[in-house]
Amino acid sequence: QVQLVESGGGLVQPGGSLRLSCAASGSIFSINVMGWYRRAPGKERELVGRITSSGSTNYIDSVKGRFTIYRDNTKNTVYLQMNSLKPEDTAVYYCNFIGTGWALDRFDYWGQGTQVTVSS
């Protein structure tokens, strides 16, 4: 079993910054991909960006240049640094880890979600 715990959401004014974190614990041999998704009110969940075990990242166009994903492999933690936030970034943000457990079983787990609200 793997548990993911997210933190860092909240209310911020337009143009402000927030940093989300997601830490994994449990039976973890390796984490191949760490991703961030979001679901805005009335919309489908969308991928925000992801980072591979080699450090390669990709982002959706709407957050490029504003959001940065990075990981600390020693802590099994991924971060989402969000700058220049806009009201349209308001959503519940979820982390997702895909990896391998100590039993060499593949896992795909989600965090509990954290609310980000961008409003003046």
Side-chain angles (χ1 to χ4, degrees):
Q1 286 284 349
V2 175
Q3 297 79 39
L4 303 187
V5 178
E6 297 183 36
S7 61
L11 172 65
V12 64
Q13 293 186 342
S17 297
L18 279 176
R19 189 183 77 162
L20 308 182
S21 64
C22 178
S25 61
S27 176
I28 300 169
F29 175 71
S30 65
I31 302 174
N32 300 322
V33 180
M34 297 175 168
W36 285 99
Y37 291 73
R38 66 186 181 186
R39 177 175 284 152
K43 295 187 177 180
E44 296 291 320
R45 184 174 63 192
E46 66 175 350
L47 172 67
V48 175
R50 57 166 64 107
I51 184 167
T52 67
S53 56
S54 64
S56 176
T57 57
N58 65 282
Y59 304 91
I60 55 173
D61 287 344
S62 61
V63 307
K64 284 181 181 177
R66 299 189 299 122
F67 289 12
T68 302
I69 296 174
Y70 58 101
R71 60 192 283 174
D72 184 339
N73 291 327
T74 65
K75 299 180 180 179
N76 289 329
T77 299
V78 67
Y79 303 92
L80 178 63
Q81 177 66 46
M82 304 183 292
N83 299 328
S84 302
L85 281 161
K86 304 175 180 180
E88 51 263 43
D89 294 317
T90 295
V92 178
Y93 284 71
Y94 300 88
C95 59
N96 171 250
F97 286 12
I98 299 173
T100 304
W102 285 107
L104 300 183
D105 52 316
R106 181 182 180 276
F107 63 76
D108 184 343
Y109 285 97
W110 292 85
Q112 80 278 13
T114 186
Q115 177 70 47
V116 172
T117 303
V118 184
S119 175
S120 55

Coordinates of all heavy atoms in Angstrom, one line a residue, residues 25-77:
S25 N 4.3 7.6 1.1 CA 4.9 6.7 2.1 C 4.3 5.3 1.8 O 3.2 5.1 1.2 CB 4.6 7.1 3.5 OG 3.2 7.2 3.7
G26 N 5.0 4.3 2.3 CA 4.5 2.9 2.2 C 5.5 2.0 1.4 O 6.7 2.3 1.4
S27 N 4.9 1.1 0.7 CA 5.8 0.1 0.0 C 6.2 0.7 -1.4 O 5.5 0.4 -2.4 CB 5.0 -1.2 -0.2 OG 5.7 -2.1 -1.0
I28 N 7.3 1.4 -1.4 CA 7.7 2.1 -2.6 C 9.1 1.6 -2.9 O 10.1 1.9 -2.2 CB 7.7 3.6 -2.4 CG1 6.3 4.1 -2.0 CG2 8.2 4.3 -3.6 CD1 6.2 5.5 -1.6
F29 N 9.3 1.0 -4.1 CA 10.6 0.7 -4.6 C 11.1 1.8 -5.5 O 12.2 2.3 -5.4 CB 10.5 -0.6 -5.4 CG 11.8 -1.0 -6.1 CD1 12.9 -1.4 -5.3 CD2 11.9 -0.9 -7.5 CE1 14.1 -1.7 -5.9 CE2 13.1 -1.3 -8.1 CZ 14.2 -1.7 -7.3
S30 N 10.2 2.3 -6.4 CA 10.5 3.4 -7.3 C 9.3 4.1 -7.7 O 8.2 3.5 -7.8 CB 11.3 2.9 -8.5 OG 10.5 2.1 -9.3
I31 N 9.4 5.4 -8.0 CA 8.3 6.2 -8.5 C 8.7 6.7 -9.9 O 9.6 7.5 -10.0 CB 7.9 7.4 -7.6 CG1 7.6 6.9 -6.2 CG2 6.7 8.1 -8.2 CD1 7.3 8.0 -5.2
N32 N 8.0 6.2 -10.9 CA 8.4 6.5 -12.2 C 7.9 7.9 -12.7 O 8.6 8.7 -13.3 CB 7.9 5.5 -13.2 CG 8.5 4.1 -12.9 OD1 9.7 4.0 -12.5 ND2 7.7 3.1 -13.0
V33 N 6.6 8.2 -12.4 CA 6.0 9.4 -12.8 C 5.2 10.0 -11.7 O 4.5 9.3 -11.0 CB 5.0 9.2 -14.0 CG1 4.4 10.5 -14.4 CG2 5.8 8.5 -15.2
M34 N 5.5 11.3 -11.5 CA 4.7 12.1 -10.5 C 3.9 13.1 -11.3 O 4.6 13.9 -12.0 CB 5.6 12.7 -9.5 CG 6.4 11.8 -8.6 SD 7.6 12.7 -7.6 CE 8.1 11.4 -6.4
G35 N 2.6 13.2 -11.1 CA 1.9 14.1 -11.9 C 1.0 15.0 -11.0 O 0.6 14.6 -9.9
W36 N 0.6 16.1 -11.5 CA -0.4 17.0 -10.9 C -1.6 17.2 -11.9 O -1.4 17.4 -13.0 CB 0.2 18.3 -10.6 CG 1.1 18.3 -9.4 CD1 2.4 18.3 -9.4 CD2 0.7 18.4 -8.0 NE1 2.9 18.3 -8.1 CE2 1.9 18.3 -7.2 CE3 -0.5 18.4 -7.3 CZ2 1.9 18.4 -5.8 CZ3 -0.5 18.4 -6.0 CH2 0.7 18.4 -5.2
Y37 N -2.8 17.0 -11.3 CA -4.0 17.2 -12.1 C -4.9 18.2 -11.3 O -4.6 18.5 -10.2 CB -4.8 15.8 -12.2 CG -4.1 14.8 -13.0 CD1 -3.0 14.1 -12.6 CD2 -4.7 14.5 -14.3 CE1 -2.4 13.1 -13.4 CE2 -4.1 13.5 -15.1 CZ -3.0 12.8 -14.6 OH -2.4 11.9 -15.4
R38 N -5.9 18.7 -12.0 CA -6.8 19.6 -11.4 C -8.2 19.4 -11.9 O -8.4 19.0 -13.1 CB -6.4 21.0 -11.5 CG -6.4 21.6 -12.9 CD -5.8 23.0 -12.9 NE -5.8 23.6 -14.2 CZ -5.2 24.8 -14.5 NH1 -4.6 25.5 -13.6 NH2 -5.3 25.2 -15.7
R39 N -9.2 19.7 -11.1 CA -10.6 19.7 -11.5 C -11.2 21.0 -11.1 O -11.4 21.3 -9.9 CB -11.3 18.5 -11.0 CG -12.8 18.5 -11.3 CD -13.5 17.3 -10.8 NE -13.2 16.2 -11.7 CZ -13.2 14.9 -11.3 NH1 -13.5 14.6 -10.0 NH2 -12.9 13.9 -12.1
A40 N -11.6 21.8 -12.1 CA -12.2 23.1 -11.8 C -13.7 22.8 -11.7 O -14.2 21.9 -12.3 CB -11.9 24.1 -12.9
P41 N -14.5 23.7 -11.0 CA -15.9 23.6 -10.9 C -16.6 23.4 -12.3 O -16.4 24.2 -13.2 CB -16.4 24.9 -10.2 CG -15.2 25.3 -9.5 CD -14.0 24.9 -10.3
G42 N -17.4 22.4 -12.4 CA -18.1 22.1 -13.7 C -17.3 21.6 -14.8 O -17.8 21.6 -16.0
K43 N -16.0 21.3 -14.6 CA -15.2 20.8 -15.7 C -14.6 19.5 -15.4 O -14.6 19.0 -14.2 CB -14.0 21.8 -15.9 CG -14.5 23.2 -16.4 CD -13.3 24.1 -16.7 CE -13.7 25.4 -17.3 NZ -12.5 26.3 -17.6
E44 N -14.1 18.8 -16.4 CA -13.4 17.6 -16.3 C -12.0 17.7 -15.6 O -11.4 18.8 -15.8 CB -13.3 16.9 -17.6 CG -14.6 16.5 -18.3 CD -15.3 15.4 -17.6 OE1 -14.7 14.5 -17.1 OE2 -16.6 15.6 -17.4
R45 N -11.6 16.7 -15.0 CA -10.2 16.7 -14.5 C -9.2 16.8 -15.6 O -9.4 16.1 -16.7 CB -9.9 15.4 -13.7 CG -8.6 15.4 -13.0 CD -8.4 14.2 -12.1 NE -8.5 13.0 -12.8 CZ -8.7 11.8 -12.3 NH1 -8.8 11.7 -11.0 NH2 -8.7 10.7 -13.0
E46 N -8.2 17.6 -15.5 CA -7.2 17.7 -16.5 C -5.8 17.6 -15.9 O -5.5 17.9 -14.8 CB -7.3 19.1 -17.2 CG -7.0 20.3 -16.4 CD -7.0 21.6 -17.2 OE1 -7.0 21.6 -18.4 OE2 -6.9 22.6 -16.5
L47 N -4.9 17.1 -16.8 CA -3.5 17.0 -16.4 C -2.9 18.4 -16.4 O -3.0 19.1 -17.4 CB -2.7 16.1 -17.3 CG -1.2 16.1 -17.2 CD1 -0.8 15.4 -15.9 CD2 -0.6 15.3 -18.4
V48 N -2.2 18.8 -15.3 CA -1.5 20.1 -15.2 C -0.1 19.9 -15.7 O 0.4 20.6 -16.6 CB -1.5 20.6 -13.8 CG1 -0.6 21.9 -13.7 CG2 -2.9 20.9 -13.3
G49 N 0.6 18.8 -15.2 CA 1.9 18.5 -15.7 C 2.4 17.3 -14.9 O 1.8 16.8 -14.0
R50 N 3.6 16.8 -15.4 CA 4.1 15.6 -14.7 C 5.7 15.7 -14.9 O 6.2 16.4 -15.7 CB 3.6 14.3 -15.3 CG 3.8 14.2 -16.8 CD 3.5 12.7 -17.3 NE 2.2 12.3 -17.0 CZ 1.3 12.2 -18.0 NH1 1.6 12.4 -19.3 NH2 0.1 11.8 -17.8
I51 N 6.3 14.9 -14.0 CA 7.7 14.8 -14.0 C 8.1 13.3 -13.9 O 7.5 12.5 -13.1 CB 8.4 15.6 -12.9 CG1 9.9 15.6 -12.9 CG2 7.8 15.1 -11.5 CD1 10.5 16.6 -12.0
T52 N 9.1 12.9 -14.7 CA 9.5 11.5 -14.7 C 10.6 11.3 -13.8 O 11.2 12.2 -13.2 CB 10.0 11.1 -16.1 OG1 11.2 11.8 -16.4 CG2 8.9 11.4 -17.2
S53 N 11.1 10.1 -13.6 CA 12.1 9.7 -12.7 C 13.5 10.4 -13.1 O 14.4 10.6 -12.3 CB 12.3 8.2 -12.6 OG 12.5 7.6 -13.9
S54 N 13.6 10.7 -14.4 CA 14.8 11.3 -14.9 C 14.8 12.8 -14.8 O 15.7 13.5 -15.1 CB 15.0 10.9 -16.4 OG 14.0 11.4 -17.2
G55 N 13.6 13.3 -14.3 CA 13.5 14.8 -14.2 C 12.9 15.5 -15.4 O 12.7 16.7 -15.3
S56 N 12.5 14.8 -16.4 CA 11.9 15.4 -17.5 C 10.4 15.8 -17.2 O 9.7 15.1 -16.5 CB 11.8 14.4 -18.7 OG 11.1 14.9 -19.8
T57 N 10.1 17.0 -17.6 CA 8.8 17.6 -17.3 C 8.0 17.9 -18.5 O 8.6 18.2 -19.6 CB 8.9 18.8 -16.4 OG1 9.7 19.8 -17.1 CG2 9.5 18.5 -15.0
N58 N 6.7 18.0 -18.4 CA 5.8 18.5 -19.4 C 4.6 19.1 -18.7 O 4.2 18.7 -17.6 CB 5.4 17.5 -20.4 CG 4.5 16.4 -19.9 OD1 5.0 15.5 -19.2 ND2 3.3 16.5 -20.1
Y59 N 4.1 20.2 -19.4 CA 3.0 21.0 -18.8 C 1.9 21.2 -19.9 O 2.2 21.3 -21.1 CB 3.5 22.3 -18.3 CG 4.6 22.2 -17.3 CD1 5.9 22.2 -17.7 CD2 4.3 22.2 -15.9 CE1 7.0 22.2 -16.8 CE2 5.4 22.1 -15.0 CZ 6.7 22.1 -15.4 OH 7.7 22.0 -14.5
I60 N 0.7 21.5 -19.4 CA -0.3 22.0 -20.4 C 0.0 23.4 -20.7 O 0.7 24.1 -19.9 CB -1.7 21.9 -19.8 CG1 -1.8 22.6 -18.4 CG2 -2.1 20.4 -19.6 CD1 -3.2 22.7 -17.9
D61 N -0.4 23.9 -21.9 CA 0.0 25.2 -22.4 C -0.4 26.3 -21.4 O 0.3 27.3 -21.3 CB -0.7 25.4 -23.8 CG 0.0 24.6 -24.8 OD1 1.1 24.1 -24.6 OD2 -0.6 24.4 -25.9
S62 N -1.6 26.2 -20.8 CA -2.1 27.3 -20.0 C -1.3 27.6 -18.7 O -1.4 28.6 -18.1 CB -3.5 27.0 -19.6 OG -3.6 25.8 -18.8
V63 N -0.4 26.7 -18.3 CA 0.4 26.9 -17.2 C 1.9 27.0 -17.5 O 2.7 27.3 -16.6 CB 0.2 25.8 -16.1 CG1 -1.2 25.6 -15.8 CG2 0.9 24.5 -16.5
K64 N 2.3 26.8 -18.7 CA 3.7 26.9 -19.1 C 4.3 28.3 -18.7 O 3.7 29.3 -19.1 CB 3.9 26.6 -20.6 CG 3.8 25.2 -20.9 CD 4.0 24.9 -22.4 CE 3.9 23.5 -22.7 NZ 4.0 23.2 -24.2
G65 N 5.4 28.3 -18.1 CA 6.1 29.6 -17.7 C 5.6 30.1 -16.4 O 6.2 31.1 -15.9
R66 N 4.5 29.5 -15.9 CA 4.0 30.0 -14.6 C 4.2 28.9 -13.5 O 4.4 29.2 -12.3 CB 2.5 30.4 -14.7 CG 2.3 31.5 -15.7 CD 0.8 32.0 -15.6 NE -0.1 30.9 -15.9 CZ -1.1 30.5 -15.1 NH1 -1.2 31.0 -13.9 NH2 -1.9 29.5 -15.5
F67 N 4.0 27.7 -13.9 CA 4.0 26.5 -12.9 C 5.3 25.7 -13.1 O 5.8 25.6 -14.3 CB 2.9 25.6 -13.1 CG 1.5 26.1 -12.7 CD1 1.3 27.5 -12.4 CD2 0.4 25.3 -12.6 CE1 0.1 28.0 -12.0 CE2 -0.8 25.8 -12.2 CZ -1.0 27.1 -11.9
T68 N 5.9 25.2 -12.1 CA 7.0 24.4 -12.1 C 6.8 23.2 -11.2 O 6.4 23.3 -10.1 CB 8.3 25.1 -11.7 OG1 8.5 26.3 -12.5 CG2 9.5 24.2 -11.8
I69 N 7.1 22.0 -11.8 CA 7.1 20.8 -11.0 C 8.5 20.3 -10.8 O 9.3 20.3 -11.7 CB 6.3 19.7 -11.8 CG1 4.8 20.1 -12.0 CG2 6.4 18.3 -11.1 CD1 4.0 19.1 -12.9
Y70 N 8.8 19.9 -9.5 CA 10.0 19.3 -9.2 C 9.8 18.3 -8.1 O 8.8 18.3 -7.4 CB 11.1 20.4 -8.8 CG 10.7 21.3 -7.6 CD1 11.2 21.0 -6.4 CD2 9.9 22.4 -7.8 CE1 10.9 21.8 -5.3 CE2 9.5 23.2 -6.7 CZ 10.1 22.9 -5.5 OH 9.8 23.7 -4.4
R71 N 10.8 17.4 -8.0 CA 10.7 16.3 -7.1 C 11.9 16.1 -6.2 O 13.0 16.5 -6.6 CB 10.4 15.0 -7.9 CG 11.4 14.6 -8.9 CD 10.9 13.5 -9.8 NE 10.9 12.2 -9.1 CZ 10.4 11.1 -9.6 NH1 9.8 11.1 -10.8 NH2 10.4 9.9 -9.0
D72 N 11.7 15.6 -5.0 CA 12.8 15.2 -4.1 C 12.7 13.7 -3.9 O 11.8 13.2 -3.2 CB 12.6 15.9 -2.8 CG 13.8 15.6 -1.8 OD1 14.5 14.6 -2.0 OD2 14.0 16.4 -0.9
N73 N 13.5 13.0 -4.6 CA 13.4 11.5 -4.6 C 13.8 10.9 -3.2 O 13.3 9.8 -2.9 CB 14.3 10.9 -5.7 CG 13.8 11.2 -7.1 OD1 12.6 11.2 -7.3 ND2 14.7 11.3 -8.0
T74 N 14.6 11.7 -2.5 CA 14.9 11.2 -1.1 C 13.7 11.2 -0.2 O 13.7 10.5 0.8 CB 16.1 12.0 -0.5 OG1 15.6 13.3 -0.3 CG2 17.3 12.0 -1.5
K75 N 12.8 12.0 -0.5 CA 11.6 12.2 0.3 C 10.3 11.6 -0.3 O 9.2 11.8 0.2 CB 11.4 13.6 0.7 CG 12.5 14.2 1.5 CD 12.2 15.7 1.8 CE 13.3 16.3 2.7 NZ 13.1 17.8 3.0
N76 N 10.5 11.1 -1.5 CA 9.3 10.6 -2.3 C 8.2 11.7 -2.4 O 7.0 11.4 -2.1 CB 8.7 9.3 -1.7 CG 9.6 8.1 -1.9 OD1 10.3 8.0 -2.9 ND2 9.6 7.2 -1.0
T77 N 8.7 12.9 -2.7 CA 7.8 14.1 -2.7 C 7.9 14.8 -4.0 O 9.0 14.9 -4.6 CB 8.2 15.0 -1.5 OG1 8.0 14.3 -0.3 CG2 7.3 16.2 -1.5

